[in-house]
């Protein structure tokens, strides 16, 4: 009788252990299965989300097919249940356990906004407006209101004063915070470049160097040409010649610019039309990168006074008007041949 009871007890224990082992295997299989995604997925975990609510979100968003084993996994590995609110990036192949480990780490997704060299303030605001998960606070604000929000003195401009680069941020970061980071970085970069500049250059302030850099940025994207372009404009300033650079005309035209500049546009006075005004424009006309800032601070030593596109992606630099006119004719011939093909 005792032996029979012992067999029954052993059988029950065996079945219980087998059941536990079977359950453990199921939980392990669930923990090690990949999320049901084929591409990077951004997942937002709201503050105050508990275990049951998280399971519901994962099933709702079809990140897991079935949440049956989800609570058991959290009981077996309670450290995975310490998830933190935030916005996270899930990648293909990530397992359920890896996903929970990420949520417990609090390492939110690093999102990015890219601002290119030569872009203008209005371009930056458009990029920010289209960037996902940014908290928008600047919609509808004028440049003057934006400058005020950054604590700038009345009348100061942001044009040219934001450093172009790719900026990383986490969800919920404000557009103003990103603008502030770019502003501080440009201020620091400009001061460093100003301190190391060729002091013989005819700049009266860092703002003028920044304005020159913005013109260089708009005139050429060819790295080795930047210092030559800078030399042309420096030589013109020293001789009292007008800069006569089209990008300043375009900037001064504002929204009336439709892609072409006429002779009338060149002759129409604006605060920025360097065919009409002498010296540099009153403010930068774009956001220059480091290469253009360095070129403005250290131009090449040349006698060049003119340059024109060569039709091949670069420019032809000349020292006198006759040579410049010949270069212009050569450019027009290249364009004519291209159009005839």
């Amino acid at each position: 009788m005792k032996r029979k009871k012992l067999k029954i007890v052993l059988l029950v224990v065996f079945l219980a252990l087998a059941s536990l082992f079977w359950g453990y295997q199921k939980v392990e299989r669930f923990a090690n299965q990949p999320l049901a995604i084929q591409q990077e997925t951004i997942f937002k975990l709201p503050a105050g989300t508990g275990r049951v609510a998280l399971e519901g979100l994962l099933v709702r968003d079809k990140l897991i097919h079935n949440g049956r084993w989800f609570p058991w996994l959290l009981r077996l590995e309670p450290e995975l249940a310490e998830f933190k609110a935030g916005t996270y990036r899930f990648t293909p192949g990530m397992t359920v356990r890896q996903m929970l480990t990420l949520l417990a780490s609090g390492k939110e997704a690093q999102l990015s906004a890219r601002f290119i060299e030569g872009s203008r303030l209005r371009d930056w605001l458009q990029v920010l407006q289209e960037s996902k998960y940014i908290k928008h606070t600047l919609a509808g604000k004028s440049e003057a209101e934006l400058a005020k929000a950054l604590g700038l003195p009345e009348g100061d401009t942001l044009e040219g004063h934001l450093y172009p680069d790719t900026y990383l941020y986490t969800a919920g970061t404000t557009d103003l915070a990103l603008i502030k980071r770019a502003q501080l970085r440009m201020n620091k970069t400009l001061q460093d470049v100003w301190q190391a500049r060729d002091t013989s250059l005819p700049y009266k302030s860092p703002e003028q160097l920044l304005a020159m850099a913005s013109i260089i940025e708009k005139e050429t994207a060819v790295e080795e040409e930047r210092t030559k372009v800078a030399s042309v404009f420096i030589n013109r300033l020293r001789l009292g010649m007008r800069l006569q650079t089209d990008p300043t005309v375009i900037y001064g035209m504002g929204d009336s610019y439709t892609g072409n500049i006429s002779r009338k546009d060149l002759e129409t006075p604006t605060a920025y039309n360097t065919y009409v005004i002498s010296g540099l424009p009153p403010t930068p006309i774009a956001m220059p990168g480091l290469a253009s800032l360095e070129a403005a601070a250290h131009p090449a030593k040349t006698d060049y006074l003119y340059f024109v596109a060569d039709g091949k992606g670069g420019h032809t630099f000349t020292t006198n008007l006759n040579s410049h006119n010949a270069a212009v004719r050569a450019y027009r011939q290249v364009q004519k041949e291209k159009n005839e093909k």
Side-chain angles (χ1 to χ4, degrees):
M1 191 69 173
K2 290 182 179 180
R3 183 174 296 177
K4 185 177 180 180
K5 286 183 178 181
L6 179 60
K7 286 182 178 181
I8 293 173
V9 170
L10 290 174
L11 179 60
V12 170
V13 171
F14 174 77
L15 292 175
L17 290 173
S19 178
L20 287 173
F21 181 73
W22 176 82
Y24 175 77
Q25 289 291 91
K26 288 288 186 180
V27 172
E28 275 296 299
R29 190 173 302 163
F30 171 75
N32 291 321
Q33 74 179 18
L35 298 178
I37 57 175
Q38 301 300 318
Q39 58 187 10
E40 283 194 356
T41 300
I42 299 296
F43 177 75
K44 185 174 182 179
L45 181 62
T49 303
R51 301 183 182 194
V52 175
L54 175 57
E55 178 187 339
L57 290 175
L58 295 174
V59 174
R60 182 202 69 184
D61 294 349
K62 298 180 180 180
L63 295 169
I64 59 175
H65 295 299
N66 190 310
R68 177 183 178 185
W69 300 105
F70 187 77
W72 290 100
L73 174 59
L74 296 185
R75 288 190 182 96
L76 286 173
E77 301 182 41
E79 67 277 9
L80 297 180
E82 301 299 322
F83 33 81
K84 300 175 178 65
T87 302
Y88 298 88
R89 177 179 281 109
F90 298 159
T91 55
M94 177 180 282
T95 66
V96 172
R97 179 181 280 115
Q98 290 171 333
M99 176 266 294
L100 288 171
T101 300
L102 176 62
L103 297 183
S105 73
K107 295 178 180 177
E108 294 190 66
Q110 290 290 307
L111 307 166
S112 65
R114 181 170 179 260
F115 305 100
I116 62 174
E117 292 86 349
S119 55
R120 292 167 55 176
L121 179 61
R122 65 184 184 186
D123 302 319
W124 282 57
L125 296 178
Q126 185 65 33
V127 169
L128 290 170
Q129 187 63 36
E130 295 172 357
S131 296
K132 294 182 177 180
Y133 304 104
I134 279 182
K135 184 178 180 181
H136 301 289
T137 65
L138 302 177
K141 289 188 181 296
S142 66
E143 183 178 349
E145 290 172 325
L146 177 53
K148 184 178 179 181
L150 289 167
L152 299 180
E154 186 175 351
D156 275 18
T157 179
L158 274 176
E159 197 73 86
H161 288 270
L162 305 178
Y163 192 91
D165 203 350
T166 298
Y167 289 86
L168 300 179
Y169 64 93
T170 55
T173 298
T174 66
D175 43 14
L176 183 62
L178 279 181
I179 290 284
K180 184 67 174 178
R181 282 170 57 189
Q183 179 206 14
L184 291 173
R185 187 171 174 192
M186 180 59 90
N187 287 349
K188 175 65 167 58
T189 303
L190 179 58
Q191 287 304 316
D192 290 345
V193 171
W194 176 256
Q195 292 298 323
R197 77 190 186 286
D198 178 350
T199 55
S200 69
L201 298 172
Y203 302 131
K204 296 179 180 179
S205 67
E207 180 75 13
Q208 288 193 340
L209 187 151
L210 186 61
M212 176 67 82
S214 71
I215 295 172
I216 297 167
E217 192 69 65
K218 297 299 288 185
E219 283 286 7
T220 184
V222 181
E223 190 71 26
E224 58 270 20
E225 284 190 352
R226 295 180 195 272
T227 57
K228 291 182 182 179
V229 169
S231 76
V232 169
F233 293 132
I234 290 297
N235 290 340
R236 282 178 162 260
L237 286 176
R238 284 175 168 156
L239 292 173
M241 297 174 66
R242 288 175 178 162
L243 298 186
Q244 296 183 322
T245 168
D246 291 356
T248 63
V249 178
I250 293 170
Y251 189 85
M253 291 172 67
D255 293 336
S256 67
Y257 176 69
T258 57
N260 294 301
I261 304 176
S262 66
R263 178 169 294 279
K264 180 181 178 182
D265 295 326
L266 297 180
E267 295 172 350
T268 300
T270 73
Y272 290 86
N273 185 349
T274 53
Y275 282 82
V276 176
I277 67 170
S278 298
L280 288 159
T283 72
I285 61 171
M287 314 296 182
L290 181 59
S292 292
L293 287 165
E294 293 286 4
H298 303 281
K301 306 295 184 183
T302 76
D303 294 323
Y304 296 139
L305 292 174
Y306 305 89
F307 64 92
V308 66
D310 59 12
K312 303 173 185 177
H315 293 84
T316 300
F317 294 83
T318 51
T319 61
N320 59 78
L321 188 57
N322 287 337
S323 297
H324 175 66
N325 289 336
V328 171
R329 289 193 295 272
Y331 167 71
R332 288 174 178 167
Q333 182 62 33
V334 170
Q335 293 301 101
K336 180 181 178 181
E337 292 172 358
K338 284 183 179 180
N339 293 333
E340 291 174 349
K341 289 182 180 180

